[in-house]
Amino acid sequence: MADSRLTPAQAAEYLGVTIQAIYVLNSRKENDFPRPSYTGRTPTWSQPELDVWRAAHPPKRSARQRQAAEGTDRDRGNADFHDLRAHLAFMTARDSPTLTDDLRSLIERTMRDAARALKSEVEDFRCKANYVHFVVRYPVDTSVANLAQRLRGASTRALRQSHSVDGHLWSKPYYAASASAHSTASLSRYVECLEQTINN
């Protein structure tokens, strides 16, 4: 099979290019594309000749493929190495109702859903009669202020719609603090990833 000769159409399929590309490569005398043997007027090449040429000229990815690959690399980097967490606590407003078990359950469910919409995750949730405290993991492109605003707003709307709560649910000030998630192991994974050679 290695000694069989490939026609332009077969060579194009073998190399993963168009037949037009084969004719263009063959017509340019200055390049290093292998010189064909002819059967009548049909040029032919052997597979070993084409293998040598392909090794020296690896296929190029299209701009769209490169962008998709770069996007995947960025996504993987965000998921693997951005490990940001924050403590958030909201106090109820003076005229808001006491947070009963039903209200607590609704608030927790609503805040978890709102966090997921921001590609974040509520990891630990605690609720008392007049405040909530939770730890949220969030991506690098989301700010703590935006998290707080979205979660407070979502929970307020949910209570207004389902329990006819009027006015503000939460007081304006809120508590926020970073939660350390640094570990030597995660830093080592990050360094190892950067040291890997990426083939474009």
Side-chain angles (χ1 to χ4, degrees), residues 3-198:
D3 295 332
S4 65
R5 307 294 296 182
L6 301 181
T7 65
Q10 292 169 330
E13 182 178 356
Y14 187 70
L15 294 175
V17 298
T18 64
I19 191 170
Q20 290 84 359
I22 294 294
Y23 284 121
V24 168
L25 288 167
N26 188 46
S27 66
R28 293 179 179 172
K29 305 303 181 185
E30 68 277 5
N31 64 34
D32 58 351
F33 193 70
R35 295 293 100 206
S37 297
Y38 284 86
T39 303
R41 291 185 171 184
T42 305
T44 63
W45 297 267
S46 69
Q47 290 184 12
E49 289 174 330
L50 296 177
D51 288 338
V52 171
W53 182 85
R54 173 51 84 201
H57 302 84
K60 296 180 179 179
R61 294 187 297 182
S62 67
R64 180 177 296 177
Q65 289 172 323
R66 287 194 299 271
Q67 289 172 357
E70 290 168 1
T72 301
D73 290 340
R74 284 194 296 270
D75 292 342
R76 185 174 65 244
N78 288 346
D80 290 345
F81 305 120
H82 295 147
D83 202 9
L84 305 176
R85 288 177 174 84
H87 286 276
L88 288 173
F90 306 146
M91 200 82 168
T92 57
R94 291 185 178 180
D95 58 348
S96 65
T98 300
L99 300 182
T100 62
D101 289 342
D102 287 345
L103 295 181
R104 294 176 194 177
S105 177
L106 176 60
I107 289 170
E108 179 178 2
R109 189 167 61 251
T110 303
M111 286 189 173
R112 288 186 184 277
D113 290 344
R116 277 192 290 271
L118 292 171
K119 298 181 181 179
S120 304
E121 179 188 3
V122 175
E123 294 186 328
D124 182 29
F125 189 92
R126 300 179 186 184
C127 189
K128 300 295 183 182
N130 62 343
Y131 75 91
V132 296
H133 168 229
F134 54 95
V135 176
V136 60
R137 182 180 182 185
Y138 60 97
V140 68
D141 57 353
T142 299
S143 69
V144 174
N146 188 37
L147 268 175
Q149 180 181 9
R150 294 283 290 273
L151 271 57
R152 283 157 57 104
S155 57
T156 299
R157 286 191 298 274
L159 262 66
R160 285 177 179 170
Q161 292 170 2
S162 62
H163 289 77
S164 300
V165 174
D166 296 325
H168 296 287
L169 175 61
W170 308 110
S171 61
K172 288 185 179 181
Y174 63 89
Y175 174 85
S178 60
S180 175
H182 168 71
S183 71
T184 304
S186 61
L187 178 59
S188 297
R189 289 201 318 273
Y190 169 69
V191 173
E192 288 171 5
C193 180
L194 288 185
E195 289 176 345
Q196 292 176 1
T197 302
I198 298 176

